[in-house]
Amino acid sequence: RTAPPRPHVVLVASPGAGHLIPMAELARRLVAHHGVAATVVTFTDLSAPDAHSAVLSSLRDDGVDTAALPAVPLDDLPADAHIETLLLELIGRSIPHLRALLRDISSAAPLAALVPDFFGSMVLPLAAELGVPAYLFFPINLTSISLMRSAVEVNDGAASGEYRDLPNTLQLPGGVSLSREDYADGFRNSKEPVYAHIIEEGRRYRAAAGFLVNTFDEIEPSYVEKLTKQAADQGTFPPAYPVGPCVRPSSDEDGALACLDWLDRQPAGSVVYVSFRERGLVHTAELAAGLEDSGHRFLWVVRMPSLDGENSDWGKSHRRAEDDPLAWLPEGFLERTSGHGLAVAAWAPQVRVLSHPATAAFVSHCGWNSTLESVAAGVPMVAWPLYAEQRVNAVVLSQNVGVALRPRATRADGLITRKEITAAVRELMDGEEKGRAVRRRAEDLQEAAARAGAPGGSSWQMLEEVAGKWKAAALGRQKQ
Ligand code: UDP
């Protein structure tokens, strides 16, 4: 007699490396440790059909199924449509294909749960249709979810056109004090059209039975319990389960060897790793000068200065292949720093770079995945947030967790200049007070992150609890 099929979890990843990679790791853990089968579903991005093939094939090696939904036409949308509009249209139009796939999977095994990421709240009604629990996966932190919850609560009962602003400062659980300038993009002004989208999105989140959040107790302490309890008491949002850090080494080998070879030749604990999408030419020039003045060794992943506000890796291939980001660096910079610095174009195997013994610090845009990768590797950060919810993350990391130094602009126009960059890098690398405290904290947090994800750790137990509920419910439905 063959064993009955395991209950099957279907995870739906919206486009973008920052969404797929942590979700892939979550799926791997569910299958390896928590007794369910899983399929990770992706959308077909016509402009970059192979963008994630390496991640997906590594997942299949880990025993997780993958499925790509057929392409849907988007050519009726305006050519200048915002990336988030494209994303939401893509997901919305793919729902019939997803429904068919779910029916297919459920004919072979009982469905345990449907888990779209936070861009996929439109998918939640499908779970109700099929009678399975729906959980949303958040590749962002609890503080950002809490910001969203505040926006939804402030707008309780408000109709479109009457949306209300958030107050100028928010006191969020866990002692996080957030001011308007640090709110995530779109949350600052209720008159902006994007604010309406955010409120509607937040309201849709309520259809989920729970949130799986890529964070862990020690990085957002006390918070976790409060958020879970308050949310359940007030019924605004479902309970949130911290299940991170879900960190997965990149399987994309492009350019990996050059970086790692170079790191192998540097002394232990000597290199500053720098990676984010530069905001513009001035920004790039200040960063280059700041790094050079710091006198420290560096590995810099240089991307095209983003002049158009594009903020996602999705559609990477829209950029012209002949565009060479290194050509945007200040004249003579590469020659002057060639003895102790390496600049690579576009992409580095970040998880492997961060965990290399030569890497000592990370100048980061504070994307939440990058943050967790740094924390998991015990690497302290210089926080230089640019867009999305990165300022929220920078506040948490520099003020609450104490694992990052955040340079502050002294110029009226808000530009952080070479002086502030040099000072922050030097303090982080050699400082005897602030720098030392942050370096120590990074070591502690690395251990805490490892504990959370190990068998019996807080995040491991959360996932076990949730998977246990899913399995019990799936068996219950089968018996009916
Ligand atoms: N990444 C990488 N190499 C790079 C740049 C990024 O491997 O040169 C990976 C990084 O490790 C992370 C993801 O891409 O897993 C970026 O996610 P994050 O949330 O940090 O940033 P965002 O999606 O907001 O840009």
Side-chain angles (χ1 to χ4, degrees):
R1 239 166 45 131
T2 52
R6 285 177 165 198
H8 204 113
V9 181
V10 178
L11 303 104
V12 185
S14 60
H19 306 160
L20 176 63
I21 294 171
M23 182 177 260
E25 179 57 17
L26 176 70
R28 186 195 69 78
R29 291 185 192 179
L30 281 166
V31 169
H33 306 305
H34 304 288
V36 291
T39 296
V40 169
V41 181
T42 51
F43 298 87
T44 300
D45 175 2
L46 281 178
S47 63
D50 298 328
H52 298 306
S53 56
V55 181
L56 296 172
S57 77
S58 77
L59 253 186
R60 291 188 291 273
D61 294 341
D62 286 337
V64 176
D65 293 339
T66 64
L69 297 175
V72 291
L74 294 174
D75 44 11
D76 55 314
L77 296 173
D80 61 351
H82 194 269
I83 186 93
E84 278 165 22
T85 311
L86 285 172
L87 233 143
L88 293 177
E89 284 294 329
L90 171 70
I91 297 171
R93 294 177 190 195
S94 298
I95 283 181
H97 295 307
L98 181 59
R99 179 184 287 113
L101 176 71
L102 287 167
R103 292 235 157 93
D104 231 35
I105 294 175
S106 68
S107 66
L111 282 183
L114 181 62
V115 186
D117 68 43
F118 68 150
F119 268 108
S121 63
M122 277 182 295
V123 164
L124 295 175
L126 273 183
E129 208 180 294
L130 296 163
V132 295
Y135 280 64
L136 277 176
F137 173 66
F138 286 82
I140 57 172
N141 58 24
L142 282 163
T143 309
S144 298
I145 296 176
S146 207
L147 173 64
M148 176 62 117
R149 200 185 79 194
S150 302
V152 170
E153 283 173 0
V154 160
N155 284 287
D156 206 15
S160 127
E162 298 169 1
Y163 290 128
R164 303 164 200 139
D165 269 317
L166 283 163
N168 285 333
T169 34
L170 277 173
Q171 302 302 330
L172 298 175
V176 180
S177 176
L178 210 57
S179 52
R180 182 176 304 282
E181 61 186 13
D182 285 325
Y183 292 170
D185 290 349
F187 284 82
R188 270 172 242 129
N189 182 354
S190 64
K191 305 286 176 294
E192 300 275 347
V194 61
Y195 194 82
H197 287 294
I198 287 176
I199 301 302
E200 292 314 319
E201 185 70 8
R203 288 175 174 169
R204 280 198 294 268
Y205 286 176
R206 293 169 162 169
F211 293 169
L212 303 180
V213 189
N214 195 13
T215 191
F216 61 103
D217 265 356
E218 292 83 347
I219 201 170
E220 295 188 283
S222 76
Y223 205 158
V224 164
E225 198 194 344
K226 269 196 196 145
L227 193 88
T228 310
K229 251 181 100 316
Q230 273 181 14
D233 292 349
Q234 297 172 1
T236 313
F237 272 177
Y241 300 90
V243 296
C246 296
V247 167
R248 190 175 174 87
S250 136
S251 16
D252 186 345
E253 294 300 314
D254 278 3
L257 284 180
C259 292
L260 299 171
D261 274 357
W262 184 83
L263 282 173
D264 284 345
R265 284 182 272 117
Q266 311 308 313
S270 70
V271 174
V272 180
Y273 170 60
V274 184
S275 169
F276 47 54
R277 197 185 307 287
E278 286 70 25
R279 189 177 252 167
L281 290 183
V282 184
H283 183 261
T284 306
E286 294 296 325
L287 177 55
L291 278 177
E292 193 176 343
D293 291 351
S294 81
H296 282 288
R297 292 168 199 265
F298 64 84
L299 169 54
W300 183 0
V301 185
V302 186
R303 300 190 215 183
M304 291 309 292
S306 152
L307 304 173
D308 54 4
E310 185 217 23
N311 63 4
S312 167
D313 279 328
W314 189 45
K316 249 195 252 182
S317 62
H318 292 307
R319 292 198 283 281
R320 285 173 295 141
E322 70 268 25
D323 284 344
D324 174 13
L326 300 188
W328 294 84
L329 292 172
E331 211 169 317
F333 172 78
L334 287 175
E335 294 73 27
R336 288 194 303 277
T337 55
S338 69
H340 63 281
L342 177 68
V344 299
W347 190 257
Q350 182 164 296
V351 173
R352 290 162 72 186
V353 167
L354 284 167
S355 49
H356 194 285
T359 304
F362 183 12
V363 179
S364 172
H365 70 324
C366 299
W368 192 243
N369 290 298
S370 294
T371 297
L372 291 176
E373 289 160 6
S374 202
V375 162
V379 173
M381 285 162 269
V382 170
W384 192 352
L386 299 174
Y387 48 76
E389 90 303 356
Q390 294 158 8
R391 284 177 305 274
V392 176
N393 303 342
V395 169
V396 171
L397 297 173
S398 60
Q399 289 175 22
N400 296 85
V401 186
V403 75
L405 295 176
R406 184 179 183 188
R408 287 294 182 172
T410 47
R411 272 176 38 160
D413 64 0
L415 181 79
I416 292 181
T417 63
R418 61 193 292 173
K419 259 170 83 190
E420 284 98 48
I421 293 158
T422 303
V425 168
R426 286 194 175 149
E427 182 63 41
L428 191 64
M429 292 294 279
D430 313 313
E432 287 300 326
E433 280 180 39
K434 280 192 205 158
R436 179 187 298 270
V438 168
R439 295 193 301 271
R440 284 232 170 104
R441 187 72 180 113
E443 283 173 18
D444 294 347
L445 211 57
Q446 178 183 26
E447 282 174 23
R451 273 197 310 274
S458 55
S459 292
W460 194 94
Q461 279 178 345
M462 284 286 167
L463 208 50
E464 179 69 6
E465 183 187 325
V466 172
K469 281 190 207 174
W470 293 345
K471 285 184 286 187
L475 286 180
R477 283 196 306 276
Q478 235 184 354
K479 283 191 185 131
Q480 279 169 13

